[in-house]
C-alpha cells in the first residue's frame, strides 16, 4: 500500500515539461509547478514577444514573473530521491527517429500525439492534458502530430490558414480576404476540402479505371510477346532447316559436277593413253624398218639387196589408227565460267528474295505505332487458319502450340 502511495506521489511531483522529478521546484501564480531551469527555458524563448504564459494552462503574464525556489517542495522531492525511486517516463512514449517530438519536453523528448494549430506546437500525452482540461484551450484546434505546422500559417500575416480562395485555388488567412483576395470567391477550408474531395473521388475513379485498362493491356501485351517469341523461335528453326536443305542441295550438285569433271577427265585421258600406246608401238616399228633400210642401203650384193628389199618395202603398222587431231578445248574454263555465272545468278536471286523476306520479318510486329494496339496472331483461328496463312508444315508449330497452351 505504501508503494502505491509513493507511486502517486511520483506522478504529482513530476515536472510537466521534462516529466522527471522536479529539480529546484518553483510555483508560478497560476498554481502550476515546474523545474526552475525548465520554466526559465520556456520563458527565455518568449522574451521577444514580451508576453509569458504557463506551459500547462496557457495563462499569460506581463511582465515576466520572478520565480524562486519552493524549499518545502524541494525537501519532499529529496525525500523521494532517497527512497531510490525516480519518476521516469514510459519507454513506449519516447520519440523514435520517425516520430514527432513533443515541443514541451526537455531532455529526452516524448512522442507527440497531437499538434495544436493555435499554439503551433506538438504535445505528448502528458503535456496535452491542459488542452482537454483547461477552458482556455477549448477553442484550440488539435490535429494529428505533424512536423509541418508552419505550412498551415500565412507567411504574410502569420495567421492560421482557415479560408480557401476558389478564385486563386489557394489557402489563405482571414486577413488575406480583406487584402489581395478581396472580392474573391472564398469559403472555409472545410468547405473547400469537401469540394476538392468530390473532385478527388472522381479523379480516383478515373484513375482506377485507367489502371484496370492499362493492366488489361499489359496482360495482353505479355501474352502477345510470349506468343511472338514462340513463333519467332519456330521461324528460326524452320529457316535453319530450309537453309540446311538448300546447302545440302548445293553440296550434292557440287559433288555431281565434280564427279562429272573427273569422269570426263578419266575418259579423255584413257582414250589419249590408248592412242599414245599405239603411237609408241608404231614409232618403234618405223624405227626398226628405218634401221633395216639403212643397213640395206649399204649392201653391195645385188641379189641379197633385191631379196631383202621386198621385206623392207612391205608396209607395217596398223592401218586403223585414226588421224590424230587435237581439240581446242583442253581446259574447263567454260565450265568454271558457267559455275561462276550460276553463283552470280543465285546471289542476285537471293538478294532480291532476301529483301522481300527481310521486309516480311520487319512487318511482324507486336504493337502497331503510333497507337498501342495489340496485333494478335492468327493462331486463335485454329490449325486451318494458321496453315492457310503460313504455308509451312503443321508439325513445325506443334511443339510451340503445346507450350503456349501450357501457359
Amino acid at each position: 500500500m505504501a508503494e502505491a502511495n509513493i507511486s502517486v506521489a511520483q506522478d504529482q511531483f513530476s515536472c510537466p515539461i521534462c516529466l522527471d522529478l522536479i529539480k529546484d521546484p518553483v510555483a508560478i501564480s497560476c498554481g502550476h509547478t515546474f523545474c526552475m531551469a525548465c520554466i526559465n527555458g520556456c520563458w527565455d524563448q518568449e522574451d521577444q514577444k514580451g508576453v509569458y504564459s504557463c506551459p500547462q494552462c496557457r495563462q499569460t503574464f506581463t511582465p515576466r514573473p520572478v520565480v524562486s525556489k519552493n524549499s518545502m517542495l524541494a525537501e519532499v522531492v529529496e525525500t523521494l530521491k532517497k527512497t531510490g525511486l525516480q519518476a521516469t517516463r514510459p519507454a513506449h512514449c519516447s520519440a523514435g527517429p520517425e516520430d514527432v517530438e513533443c515541443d514541451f519536453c526537455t531532455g529526452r523528448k516524448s512522442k507527440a500525439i497531437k499538434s495544436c494549430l493555435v499554439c503551433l506546437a506538438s504535445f505528448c500525452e502528458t503535456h496535452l492534458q491542459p488542452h482537454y482540461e483547461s477552458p482556455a484551450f477549448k477553442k484550440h484546434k488539435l490535429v494529428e502530430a505533424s512536423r509541418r505546422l508552419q505550412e498551415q500559417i500565412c507567411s504574410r500575416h502569420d495567421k492560421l490558414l482557415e479560408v480557401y480562395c476558389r478564385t486563386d485555388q489557394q489557402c489563405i488567412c482571414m486577413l488575406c480576404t480583406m487584402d489581395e483576395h478581396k472580392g474573391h470567391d472564398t469559403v472555409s477550408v472545410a468547405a473547400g476540402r469537401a469540394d476538392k474531395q468530390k473532385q478527388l473521388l472522381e479523379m480516383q475513379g478515373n484513375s482506377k479505371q485507367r489502371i484496370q485498362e492499362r493492366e488489361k493491356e499489359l496482360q495482353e501485351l505479355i501474352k502477345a510477346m510470349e506468343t511472338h517469341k514462340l513463333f519467332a523461335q519456330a521461324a528460326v528453326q524452320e529457316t535453319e532447316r530450309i537453309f540446311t536443305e538448300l546447302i545440302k542441295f548445293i553440296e550434292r550438285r557440287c559433288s555431281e559436277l565434280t564427279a562429272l569433271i573427273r569422269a570426263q577427265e578419266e575418259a579423255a585421258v584413257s582414250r589419249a593413253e590408248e592412242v599414245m600406246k599405239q603411237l609408241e608401238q608404231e614409232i618403234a616399228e618405223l624405227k626398226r624398218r628405218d634401221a633395216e633400210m639403212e643397213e640395206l642401203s649399204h649392201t653391195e650384193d645385188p641379189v641379197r639387196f633385191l631379196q631383202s628389199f621386198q621385206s623392207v618395202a612391205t608396209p607395217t603398222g596398223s592401218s586403223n589408227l585414226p588421224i590424230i587431231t587435237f581439240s581446242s578445248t583442253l581446259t574447263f574454263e567454260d565450265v568454271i565460267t558457267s559455275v561462276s555465272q550460276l553463283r552470280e545468278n543465285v546471289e542476285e536471286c537471293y538478294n532480291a528474295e532476301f529483301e522481300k523476306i527481310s521486309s516480311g520479318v520487319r512487318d511482324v510486329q507486336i504493337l502497331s505505332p503510333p497507337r498501342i494496339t495489340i496485333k494478335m496472331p492468327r493462331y486463335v483461328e485454329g490449325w486451318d487458319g494458321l496453315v492457310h496463312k503460313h504455308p509451312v508444315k503443321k508439325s513445325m508449330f506443334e511443339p510451340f502450340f503445346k507450350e503456349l497452351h501450357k501457359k
Side-chain angles (χ1 to χ4, degrees), residues 99-368:
D99 296 327
V100 180
E101 295 180 346
C102 176
D103 292 321
F104 282 82
C105 288
T106 59
R108 187 178 183 184
K109 297 284 188 178
S110 294
K111 176 182 177 180
I113 59 173
K114 293 289 183 180
S115 295
C116 179
L117 298 181
V118 178
C119 301
L120 292 181
S122 299
F123 301 91
C124 64
E125 186 174 1
T126 301
H127 290 132
L128 185 63
Q129 293 307 311
H131 278 76
Y132 294 137
E133 299 171 356
S134 175
F137 296 102
K138 285 185 177 181
K139 294 184 179 180
H140 287 204
K141 185 175 180 180
L142 297 176
V143 296
E144 293 299 320
S146 172
R147 294 189 179 92
R148 305 170 65 179
L149 291 176
Q150 289 299 324
E151 295 181 6
Q152 303 196 36
I153 301 300
C154 177
S155 59
R156 183 170 182 177
H157 301 107
D158 201 26
K159 297 293 184 181
L160 182 66
L161 299 176
E162 50 187 347
V163 179
Y164 180 71
C165 178
R166 290 173 173 171
T167 305
D168 296 330
Q169 300 286 304
Q170 67 180 82
C171 296
I172 58 176
C173 69
M174 291 298 297
L175 294 180
C176 289
T177 61
M178 297 179 287
D179 197 351
E180 66 269 25
H181 294 271
K182 186 177 182 180
H184 289 188
D185 182 11
T186 59
V187 293
S188 66
V189 290
R193 185 191 186 285
D195 292 341
K196 295 300 181 183
Q197 182 71 18
K198 294 179 181 178
Q199 296 181 21
L200 181 62
L201 291 175
E202 183 178 353
M203 291 168 58
Q204 283 180 320
N206 294 334
S207 177
K208 289 179 179 179
Q209 182 179 357
R210 188 61 174 166
I211 290 172
Q212 291 176 354
E213 292 174 355
R214 285 302 189 184
E215 286 179 343
K216 181 180 178 181
E217 291 175 352
L218 176 61
Q219 294 303 319
E220 292 177 350
L221 181 59
I222 292 174
K223 184 176 180 181
M225 186 172 62
E226 292 176 350
T227 304
H228 182 76
K229 289 180 179 180
L230 291 174
F231 276 90
Q233 181 64 21
V236 168
Q237 293 184 2
E238 185 65 9
T239 300
E240 291 177 348
R241 183 189 65 79
I242 294 172
F243 270 92
T244 300
E245 291 181 356
L246 181 59
I247 292 171
K248 290 181 179 179
F249 172 79
I250 294 174
E251 289 177 346
R252 285 197 303 270
R253 290 295 178 262
C254 179
S255 298
E256 291 174 2
L257 182 56
T258 301
L260 182 61
I261 293 173
R262 291 301 183 190
Q264 176 62 24
E265 175 193 11
E266 184 178 350
V269 170
S270 177
R271 185 165 176 265
E273 287 178 346
E274 183 180 349
V275 174
M276 185 175 65
K277 184 177 180 181
Q278 293 176 4
L279 286 174
E280 288 176 347
Q281 291 176 355
E282 183 177 356
I283 291 171
E285 181 64 24
L286 291 173
K287 286 183 177 181
R288 184 187 62 78
R289 290 186 67 224
D290 183 66
E292 290 179 353
M293 287 186 291
E294 180 67 26
E295 181 181 356
L296 183 60
S297 67
H298 292 89
T299 302
E300 296 180 355
D301 185 354
V303 176
R304 185 181 175 187
F305 179 85
L306 292 173
Q307 291 175 343
S308 299
F309 179 80
Q310 188 63 33
S311 62
V312 175
T314 302
T316 60
S318 175
S319 59
N320 295 327
L321 187 65
I323 299 174
I324 298 176
T325 304
F326 293 98
S327 174
S328 60
T329 56
L330 297 176
T331 66
F332 291 89
E333 290 183 3
D334 292 341
V335 176
I336 297 174
T337 301
S338 298
V339 174
S340 298
Q341 186 63 43
L342 175 62
R343 184 199 65 187
E344 293 176 0
N345 293 338
V346 171
E347 287 180 352
E348 290 178 2
C349 179
Y350 175 81
N351 290 335
E353 292 299 323
F354 187 76
E355 183 59 33
K356 296 179 183 178
I357 296 171
S358 300
S359 178
V361 170
R362 288 190 292 268
D363 287 342
V364 180
Q365 298 286 338
I366 298 178
L367 302 177
S368 298

Side-chain angles (χ1 to χ4, degrees), residues 13-28:
F13 293 104
S14 296
C15 173
I17 298 177
C18 66
L19 303 183
D20 291 330
L21 283 176
I22 295 177
K23 300 175 183 177
D24 299 328
V26 296
I28 58 179

